[in-house]
Amino acid sequence: MGSYRADEDYDYLFKVVLIGDSGVGKSNLLSRFTKNEFSQQSKSTIGVEFATRSIQVDDKVVKAQIWDTAGQERYRAITSAYYRGAVGALLVYDVTRNVTFENVDRWLKELRGHTDSNIVVMLVGNKADLRHLRAISTDKAKAFAEKEHTFFMETSALEALNVENAFTEVLTSIYHVVSKKALDIGDDPLALPKGQTINIGNKDDVSAVKNSGCCSG
Amino acid sequence: MWRDPGIPADSYYEVRPECAASVPQSKFRIKTGKTLSVRKWNAAFSPEGLLDISKILERIQHGGVHPSIRGEVWEFLLGSFDPQSTYEEREQTRENRRVKYEILKQLCKKMFSLIGSGRYVTAPIITETGEPTQDPIAISQIYGDSPPDLQKQALEDGPMDKREIDWKLTLHQIGLDVVRTDRTLMFYEKEENLSRLWDILSVYAWYDADVGYCQGMSDLCSPIIMLLDNEADAFWCFERVMRKLRGNFRCTEKSVGVESQLCNLATVTKVIDPKLHQHLETLGGGDYLFAVRMLMVLFRREFSFADSLYLWEMMWALEYDPDLFATYEDEGEGRDENKGKAKSKRQCGKFERENMRNGTAAAPLPISVFLVASVLKEKSAKLQAEARGLDDVVMILNDITGNIDAKKACAGAVKLHKKYLKKVKTGDGGQKFSFLVAFAK
């Protein structure tokens, strides 16, 4: 095995998935968060793509591995691999298109069916910059999010509005779930053995990984 | 020694000035004496129009096709026409196909009036139960400012069968992708070209109901519309591309077609680079999902526009099988008489010849699988040394974007293919079993 690169040092690795209808802006949210880029000529996502970024939470480095997927329903046959081990999800709709909000319910059901009940979910209303075309009111979406016990935020990948906040809030919440879980089982999260997997639920999948960041195997 | 630096092909596919900095530069150069030229192409036909394809294949495998004749050359490479036919016969075939397309298109237009109208939709036009849409975006896209009484019209139109409902439910998805396909090119600045892409994909979705429309297909169709001016010709050329690739896009509730190619990729990698396969498996990438895009849109996202066309024609020349035309026509007509006829090796592409030599012609793996395998092999050392997670794998592979040479990649694929067939034949390392399993799937 090769050596660690300095920028690869992290304390926690969280897998987060981006879901939602086709064309709501998932890929641009991802590129805005990981590269601070937005593309006017963005292309449809084929299969699965992903990117990473590390952020600081408390005194810990949290690395997010964010998975992006095609919005078309038929691609969801590959979903089990896609959802496997996810500890967070951003469920994105387009505030200018009714149908993308109507489908949120279905996405949520599918997400819940494939992941652990402790998964941190945020409902994200993207394209908030298109004020004159808005079709979904903030109140309506907020009410839905409250009912479903998910976080909620409106974003604009184009204007870089709330994108950072949305991801950070999800990652911070996961961090809190994970560290609380570690405490619950009577284990000091700082004293975990190298690379030990912390399951935030009952599943055995690799979900949130505590990284020792010191050896090269 | 003096070498011809060649002419860059990008000038034939003009990029919008504001996007020039964000698209990769093409490596493909049009070279005198290497690239299939107009003169060489015309000289390969007999006075009656019979084409000696062996001369052409050799050229394409090495230097690609001159952009000005790409469309017509592709029609042969993809088996749209039989090289052993006369000009007259081909004109007849073409005419028949154009009529057939027009009938298909009119049928679609009857079901949905926007087909062929120069406009398209990006919002669902019906609900999943077949009720007319309430969506304001769809209504304004279809009817403008003065929508008719939709309920009344639905009653007049009568109930729809499942095929029609399924088809109508994909039309907005096609629209959503059309507006995101190759928008860096000047060609798609024109609304009429966007609607042409939408029309062809929509008619295809009806024609091939098993596949319908699946994301990625717009990437495959887009270049063909640029190469062939006639819409019907472009449709049938795209249909031939889909004959090669439609398996990848066929979906059931449990799987996407491309998964069987991913299995094949795993099998090939296991044989030629077992250590890499082992490493990928350890990282949780044993399903090779990271290669989905390369296989589905044949590296269109990894190459510049011009380079991907160059890559495709090289692949198709290498895979060329003179029976292609007869096989495709028979599939369509349900005939079987041409099967088992001896074919001349000279008329086959290099990759196909290797298959024939090894007797794997019955169920050969496509060259695309070996292309991906060769790209992985190229990056094998780096992947094994540096990839500690799947994200690293993707990052290392993303590195190839705009950085791989189509010709080298093809040469690598051919070499790997040869090596693979040899290893499988000799049962090297007990891999024969897994090879058979992959075919059984």
Side-chain angles (χ1 to χ4, degrees):
Chain A
M1 296 284 275
S3 58
Y4 280 132
R5 284 159 287 166
D7 62 350
E8 285 295 312
D9 282 343
Y10 57 85
D11 299 296
Y12 291 94
L13 174 64
F14 298 150
K15 174 174 170 179
V16 174
V17 292
L18 277 164
I19 53 173
D21 273 12
S22 191
V24 296
K26 298 182 292 292
S27 302
N28 266 324
L29 281 169
L30 179 62
S31 66
R32 176 62 80 193
F33 179 63
T34 58
K35 293 183 284 189
N36 198 22
E37 283 174 12
F38 179 89
S39 170
Q40 290 284 3
Q41 285 81 36
S42 62
K43 299 168 180 170
S44 63
T45 304
I46 295 164
V48 179
E49 293 169 22
F50 45 159
T52 60
R53 189 184 140 185
S54 296
I55 62 161
Q56 188 95 17
V57 180
D58 294 342
D59 57 341
K60 295 286 179 289
V61 177
V62 167
K63 180 174 168 179
Q65 186 187 84
I66 306 152
W67 292 49
D68 183 19
T69 188
Q72 191 181 14
E73 188 159 353
R74 46 166 58 199
Y75 267 108
R76 281 187 239 167
I78 318 184
T79 44
S80 55
Y82 182 68
Y83 289 114
R84 193 184 304 137
V87 290
L90 274 77
L91 202 181
V92 189
Y93 67 95
D94 173 349
V95 298
T96 71
R97 287 195 286 141
N98 264 310
V99 63
T100 66
F101 184 72
E102 283 161 20
N103 285 334
V104 159
D105 200 34
R106 198 193 293 179
W107 281 108
L108 198 58
K109 282 203 179 77
E110 185 180 91
L111 178 70
R112 303 254 195 242
H114 281 90
T115 53
D116 189 86
S117 58
N118 284 311
I119 187 168
V120 174
V121 183
M122 177 179 278
L123 179 66
V124 174
N126 192 36
K127 307 196 188 180
D129 52 282
L130 300 171
R131 290 163 193 95
H132 57 298
L133 296 173
R134 179 186 280 273
I136 305 296
S137 73
T138 308
D139 287 344
K140 187 177 176 183
K142 202 184 268 173
F144 179 87
E146 269 164 26
K147 191 182 88 193
E148 295 292 340
H149 307 289
T150 72
F151 290 94
F152 168 65
M153 211 170 268
E154 285 187 350
T155 59
S156 162
L158 174 77
E159 293 181 350
L161 173 79
N162 269 345
V163 178
E164 188 81 15
N165 288 345
F167 280 100
T168 308
E169 190 162 335
V170 167
L171 293 170
T172 309
S173 301
I174 299 168
Y175 170 77
H176 287 144
V177 172
V178 168
S179 39
K180 182 171 175 290
K181 180 85 189 172
L183 287 175
D184 282 352
I185 57 169
D187 216 344
D188 179 0
L190 303 176
L192 281 171
K194 289 167 190 171
Q196 179 176 336
T197 299
I198 303 164
N199 290 309
I200 61 165
N202 314 317
K203 294 195 176 166
D204 293 331
D205 292 330
V206 179
S207 39
V209 180
K210 172 97 171 65
N211 184 24
S212 62
C214 66
C215 70
S216 55
Chain B
M1 206 176 92
W2 183 80
R3 286 177 66 188
D4 175 18
I7 306 161
D10 284 333
S11 53
Y12 287 85
Y13 314 106
E14 205 184 337
V15 172
R16 287 164 56 184
E18 68 270 33
C19 304
S22 61
V23 299
Q25 291 271 319
S26 290
K27 297 193 184 313
F28 174 55
R29 297 260 184 290
I30 303 158
K31 287 187 182 169
T32 323
K34 291 235 170 83
T35 305
L36 177 63
S37 65
V38 181
R39 203 169 54 87
K40 198 88 187 169
W41 171 243
N42 289 334
F45 289 92
S46 77
E48 299 76 36
L50 306 190
L51 169 67
D52 182 359
I53 198 136
S54 62
K55 283 186 191 160
I56 301 306
L57 293 176
E58 198 60 31
R59 272 281 164 117
I60 302 172
Q61 282 163 194
H62 289 109
V65 180
H66 193 278
S68 61
I69 45 169
R70 264 205 169 117
E72 43 186 308
V73 175
W74 280 23
E75 287 185 316
F76 281 94
L77 286 182
L78 290 162
S80 270
F81 295 112
D82 182 359
Q84 293 306 304
S85 58
T86 63
Y87 287 124
E88 209 174 308
E89 286 166 333
R90 289 200 292 274
E91 264 326 295
Q92 193 56 52
T93 308
R94 193 183 290 283
E95 203 39 54
N96 292 344
R97 283 188 189 145
R98 286 181 180 176
V99 171
K100 201 171 160 193
Y101 177 70
E102 200 46 41
I103 293 170
L104 273 169
K105 196 175 168 186
Q106 287 306 322
L107 182 70
C108 292
K109 194 177 173 60
K110 222 170 145 190
M111 292 184 289
F112 186 53
S113 62
L114 250 53
I115 301 285
S117 71
R119 291 182 295 145
Y120 51 90
V121 282
T122 59
I125 60 168
I126 55 166
T127 67
E128 263 157 58
T129 48
E131 302 296 317
T133 182
Q134 304 287 327
D135 192 291
I137 297 176
I139 289 173
S140 92
Q141 283 175 341
I142 304 168
Y143 305 105
D145 295 333
S146 50
D149 184 335
L150 295 178
Q151 296 297 343
K152 198 176 137 210
Q153 197 182 323
L155 279 175
E156 280 168 15
D157 291 347
M160 290 178 273
D161 61 9
K162 190 177 178 298
R163 184 175 171 191
E164 188 173 343
I165 292 177
D166 285 349
W167 179 69
K168 286 187 171 171
L169 283 170
T170 63
L171 295 179
H172 74 284
Q173 181 67 60
I174 298 175
L176 281 170
D177 288 349
V178 161
V179 298
R180 295 185 285 174
T181 304
D182 290 324
R183 294 310 295 274
T184 53
L185 296 173
M186 288 297 282
F187 183 83
Y188 286 108
E189 284 284 85
K190 281 196 184 140
E191 273 294 314
E192 63 186 85
N193 290 332
L194 292 176
S195 61
R196 200 137 69 97
L197 180 55
W198 185 77
D199 281 343
I200 290 180
L201 288 166
S202 299
V203 174
Y204 184 83
W206 174 259
Y207 170 78
D208 186 0
D210 273 355
V211 169
Y213 175 77
C214 186
Q215 290 196 286
M217 281 163 60
S218 67
D219 278 54
L220 297 173
C221 188
S222 155
I224 293 165
I225 291 181
M226 298 176 66
L227 299 181
L228 292 162
D229 290 335
N230 181 283
E231 184 177 318
D233 294 351
F235 174 85
W236 291 111
C237 187
F238 172 62
E239 189 259 352
R240 291 289 140 119
V241 173
M242 288 303 292
R243 291 276 188 127
K244 282 183 181 287
L245 296 168
R246 64 191 289 279
N248 287 347
F249 293 96
R250 276 178 88 159
C251 298
T252 66
E253 267 175 32
K254 292 219 155 56
S255 71
V256 179
V258 70
E259 285 172 275
S260 67
Q261 298 294 22
L262 296 176
C263 273
N264 290 331
L265 176 61
T267 309
V268 170
T269 311
K270 228 182 276 174
V271 172
I272 54 177
D273 196 347
K275 275 189 182 153
L276 175 63
H277 177 78
Q278 186 56 49
H279 185 64
L280 291 171
E281 200 135 68
T282 313
L283 300 178
D287 51 15
Y288 288 72
L289 271 185
F290 55 83
V292 163
R293 196 178 68 189
M294 297 183 205
L295 288 169
M296 283 194 117
V297 296
L298 298 180
F299 288 90
R300 273 236 39 206
R301 301 289 178 89
E302 282 76 19
F303 283 97
S304 77
F305 187 81
D307 280 349
S308 51
L309 305 197
Y310 176 46
L311 175 79
W312 290 5
E313 63 208 13
M314 270 193 292
M315 287 169 66
W316 296 333
L318 287 164
E319 274 186 324
Y320 187 79
D321 170 354
D323 287 348
L324 218 52
F325 173 78
T327 312
Y328 287 161
E329 294 294 300
D330 289 351
E331 274 172 23
E333 307 296 325
R335 277 173 304 178
D336 227 5
E337 61 208 38
N338 280 299
K339 297 272 159 65
K341 223 166 55 179
K343 57 189 169 194
S344 148
K345 260 190 187 171
R346 224 171 57 86
Q347 308 284 328
C348 292
K350 203 172 166 187
F351 182 86
E352 174 64 16
R353 259 181 265 161
E354 199 58 41
N355 276 331
M356 283 167 71
R357 197 172 299 138
N358 284 276
T360 43
L365 297 179
I367 192 169
S368 51
V369 168
F370 293 94
L371 256 172
V372 180
S374 82
V375 167
L376 291 180
K377 185 130 180 58
E378 181 97 345
K379 295 278 176 190
S380 182
K382 197 174 165 75
L383 284 167
Q384 290 183 61
E386 291 174 22
R388 290 189 297 118
L390 275 184
D391 49 325
D392 297 326
V393 173
V394 171
M395 215 165 65
I396 291 166
L397 293 178
N398 273 347
D399 228 32
I400 66 174
T401 305
N403 287 322
I404 29 172
D405 188 300
K407 196 175 165 181
K408 271 190 204 148
C410 274
V414 169
K415 220 168 104 187
L416 267 191
H417 178 235
K418 212 168 178 169
K419 190 172 162 191
Y420 173 74
L421 290 179
K422 202 172 147 199
K423 281 206 171 186
V424 169
K425 213 174 187 177
T426 53
D428 193 15
Q431 294 294 350
K432 197 164 189 172
F433 177 69
S434 56
F435 170 70
L436 291 173
V437 169
F439 273 139
K441 277 186 180 171

